Amino acid sequence: MAEKPKGKGKRTEYAGADFEREFEEKTIEIRRVAKVVKGGRRFAFRVTVIVGDRGGRVGAGVGKATTVPEGIRKATGRARKNMRRMNVYFTTIPHVVVGKVGGAEVLLKPASPGTGVIAGGGVRAVMQAVGIQDILTKSMGSSNIHNVVMATMDALDQLTSIEELATKRGKDSKEVKPFWDRGKKNGS
């Protein structure tokens, strides 16, 4: 039987530090919110955080606390719990999709390689965290950052793989791929 290594647990601390480096965390928004009570207003901070591995996994979390560091800690924990794998197609997405949350709508369109991330604010942060490098986006309706981030997550959840999309439409997967990957027609 192998003996357990003696010491103060430095091996586990190192492994934990390695795990922390694996994910990219971005604090999207820190907003002061108020609850009206009998004696006046109670202030707290609402923090929105995105966590991703730049390899197709991403999660969003919201934390509320009386101090900012505590809010960030809560939001980061919730974002890690909510991490989900998204269907990406190389450096873009397989098809056009619209996500809606509250009054915010986010349109995501695939883009050819070299286009870059054409997005603003919260949408850009989510795209970078999931690892998408070429995409066109449009945020419509409400500009509330929290709702825009959640609408982006909703849109990414709706994505299906090229194979699933082809079977759903009754076509070959080559016909469903984005136009820049279909190849030239008629052999020219």
Side-chain angles (χ1 to χ4, degrees):
M1 231 203 241
E3 290 183 36
K4 290 184 180 179
K6 294 179 183 177
K8 295 183 181 181
K10 290 187 179 183
R11 292 178 115 190
T12 56
E13 286 175 17
Y14 180 75
D18 225 16
F19 178 75
E20 292 294 322
R21 269 188 253 125
E22 193 176 312
F23 296 116
E24 177 185 323
E25 297 173 7
K26 280 199 176 180
T27 303
I28 306 297
E29 176 188 40
I30 299 174
R31 176 170 281 182
R32 193 175 81 157
V33 293
K35 176 182 181 182
V36 180
V37 293
K38 189 173 158 185
R41 294 186 185 100
R42 285 229 177 102
F43 293 104
F45 294 95
R46 184 187 76 193
V47 181
T48 307
V49 171
I50 294 292
V51 175
D53 67 350
R54 290 185 164 269
R57 290 179 62 205
V58 70
V62 178
K64 202 184 290 184
T66 53
T67 62
V68 174
E70 185 66 16
I72 291 172
R73 187 189 62 74
K74 286 181 178 181
T76 304
R78 288 185 182 130
R80 285 177 184 271
K81 274 187 189 175
N82 294 334
M83 282 190 80
R84 300 183 290 271
R85 176 147 307 280
M86 304 299 172
N87 284 313
V88 294
Y89 181 74
F90 297 108
T91 61
T92 188
I93 58 175
H95 56 87
V96 177
V97 68
V98 177
K100 297 178 187 178
V101 169
E105 286 183 39
V106 174
L107 167 74
L108 305 178
K109 282 175 119 178
S112 56
T115 303
V117 178
I118 310 298
V123 181
R124 175 178 286 274
V126 175
M127 293 301 127
Q128 288 174 344
V130 80
I132 294 173
Q133 297 170 7
D134 303 302
I135 193 163
L136 304 169
T137 68
K138 176 71 179 166
S139 179
M140 302 169 286
S142 171
S143 60
N144 180 327
I145 296 172
H146 173 70
N147 283 351
V148 168
V149 167
M150 294 306 165
T152 306
M153 293 296 290
D154 177 51
L156 289 172
D157 282 337
Q158 294 174 31
L159 289 175
T160 59
S161 68
I162 294 286
E163 292 77 22
E164 289 174 30
L165 197 61
T167 55
K168 187 176 176 182
R169 293 183 184 175
K171 294 185 174 187
D172 187 40
S173 63
K174 291 177 184 173
E175 296 175 41
V176 180
K177 284 183 182 179
F179 70 90
W180 58 87
D181 272 353
R182 288 186 199 146
K184 300 185 180 194
K185 294 185 179 181
N186 301 330
S188 54

